[in-house]
Amino acid sequence: MQKLWAMHLEFQNSINPILVGCRISNESPLLSYSFMNNIKKITFLLSFLAVSLTIPAVQAKEVVSLQAKDGHAGNTIVSIASTNDSFNVLTALLKHAKLVGVLNGETEFTVFAPTDDAFGRLPKGTIESLYQPENRELLATILTYHVVPGSVRSTELSSGAVDSVAGIPLTISVGSGVTVNRSNVVTADIEASNGIIHVIDQVLLPPQ
């Protein structure tokens, strides 16, 4: 969005002199070199905008900026999540459920990671209730329902059921984008030293 806004400002700056010239110049703008030069700029900007706006929806819905470096020894799933402001709730819940050690180890996993916004879409009071001691087992089940064994990139996903670490299958649908149950993958294939993170826009809740 920042890039598109910058392009919009450049477009405005390019077209304003033309509009002024049409109002106050005695010289026909069609014969002005600066006018023709600006027309070329505008044509380029409009063409670039047209291409940019055709980016697939899976990339446009929500972008999470992660500073991951492939192959970095300390770049685990948990370390990536804990250093990114989009996963504050997820990180806190993983700590409370005592699952940090599992996702910080050498065993490879694929995590469908809900953002803070995704957790915010849950009914009011849901997150608070998951911190209650009597709901710790339920919390662990919900969190491990977001995890599947091994490193699975988005190009390796296919439509159908896949077993989660919780022992409850997830439903994957691959088309113009990727969905997990009813959640959209909004940022895919974030590589960690011990697996893959796919960012999703809804929390996955196991069927009751």
Side-chain angles (χ1 to χ4, degrees):
M1 290 300 296
Q2 290 179 343
K3 185 179 292 184
L4 291 179
W5 178 248
M7 291 162 60
H8 168 71
L9 292 178
E10 185 176 353
F11 173 79
Q12 276 194 322
N13 292 335
S14 297
I15 200 169
N16 283 339
I18 298 172
L19 298 177
V20 172
C22 289
R23 291 195 298 268
I24 66 174
S25 175
N26 292 326
E27 180 186 7
S28 171
L30 293 175
L31 299 178
S32 167
Y33 174 79
S34 61
F35 175 84
M36 295 303 296
N37 193 40
N38 282 331
I39 283 292
K40 291 179 181 179
K41 289 182 180 180
I42 294 169
T43 302
F44 171 78
L45 287 170
L46 289 175
S47 299
F48 194 84
L49 277 170
V51 172
S52 299
L53 292 175
T54 61
I55 296 173
V58 69
Q59 296 180 19
K61 289 175 185 174
E62 185 176 1
V63 178
V64 176
S65 176
L66 296 172
Q67 303 294 324
K69 294 182 180 179
D70 296 348
H72 193 286
N75 198 31
T76 66
I77 291 169
V78 172
S79 68
I80 291 174
S82 62
T83 55
N84 189 276
D85 289 338
S86 295
F87 301 118
N88 291 325
V89 177
L90 177 61
T91 302
L93 290 175
L94 286 171
K95 291 178 180 177
H96 186 70
K98 301 187 184 303
L99 292 174
V100 169
V102 176
L103 296 178
N104 235 359
E106 296 181 358
T107 303
E108 293 191 350
F109 293 103
T110 297
V111 176
F112 296 100
T115 62
D116 290 350
D117 287 341
F119 279 104
R121 297 186 182 103
L122 292 173
K124 186 176 180 180
T126 301
I127 296 174
E128 290 78 6
S129 68
L130 291 174
Y131 278 101
Q132 299 300 318
E134 63 270 22
N135 290 329
R136 181 169 291 177
E137 185 176 345
L138 173 61
L139 173 60
T141 299
I142 291 173
L143 292 174
T144 53
Y145 187 52
H146 292 74
V147 183
V148 299
S151 293
V152 185
R153 300 184 65 84
S154 60
T155 53
E156 299 171 320
L157 292 170
S158 58
S159 297
V162 59
D163 287 333
S164 69
V165 171
I168 308 168
L170 296 164
T171 300
I172 306 292
S173 180
V174 179
S176 57
V178 177
T179 61
V180 186
N181 294 355
R182 295 184 179 181
S183 178
N184 299 297
V185 173
V186 294
T187 305
D189 302 326
I190 299 164
E191 294 190 20
S193 60
N194 61 341
I196 300 287
I197 299 173
H198 302 301
V199 183
I200 56 176
D201 62 359
Q202 293 185 48
V203 177
L204 306 174
L205 297 175
Q208 297 180 349

